[in-house]
Amino acid sequence: MSRIKTVLLPQHQKMLSTLGTNIRLARLRRKLSTQQVAERANISRPTLLSIERGSPSVSIGLYLQVLVALGLEKDFYLIARDDELGRKLQDAKLLTKERAPKKNAGNGND
């Protein structure tokens, strides 16, 4: 069974490559080898190298495992945290419902 190749737009591939570069720089700042991080993340060294290259075929869970191994797991929460467009779309669809007219308590029509 052949695998489906993930194809990204160039701008999206650049984003993944930047993420991979940031992960690689974080590893180097901590003076950790690829083997050390791979072992801590419980992945193979070639998989770590794919992550550092920004490969779209690596699962997001493995990216997270590497972030955990580097102590950067809190950065994962920053993904899509401030969804400005989504909030604007949501606010545009919010309708303020009009209140029903109050019943006159003294008219006896209850």
Side-chain angles (χ1 to χ4, degrees):
M1 188 156 102
S2 65
R3 295 186 94 185
I4 298 173
K5 183 174 171 147
T6 305
V7 179
L8 294 177
L9 293 173
Q11 64 201 31
H12 298 150
Q13 180 56 56
K14 183 167 176 41
M15 293 168 73
L16 264 182
S17 295
T18 300
L19 173 62
T21 299
N22 290 344
I23 289 172
R24 182 176 147 286
L25 290 172
R27 176 181 60 78
L28 292 173
R29 281 187 214 104
R30 287 160 177 73
K31 299 187 183 333
L32 296 171
S33 70
T34 54
Q35 189 61 39
Q36 289 171 313
V37 174
E39 286 174 4
R40 291 178 186 185
N42 199 28
I43 61 174
S44 68
R45 189 172 169 273
T47 299
L48 176 60
L49 294 174
S50 292
I51 288 171
E52 290 185 353
R53 283 192 293 272
S55 172
S57 64
V58 178
S59 77
I60 194 165
L62 296 182
Y63 275 86
L64 176 60
Q65 283 179 228
V66 172
L67 290 174
V68 169
L70 294 171
L72 296 170
E73 63 274 8
K74 290 182 180 176
D75 287 358
F76 202 73
Y77 288 116
L78 300 177
I79 298 172
R81 183 185 76 177
D82 188 23
D83 182 12
E84 189 175 324
L85 175 61
R87 290 177 197 263
K88 286 180 182 177
L89 292 171
Q90 182 182 30
D91 291 345
K93 291 183 181 180
L94 292 178
L95 301 175
T96 54
K97 296 181 181 178
E98 292 185 28
R99 293 182 70 169
K102 291 185 177 182
K103 294 182 182 180
N104 189 348
N107 68 6
N109 292 339
D110 290 351

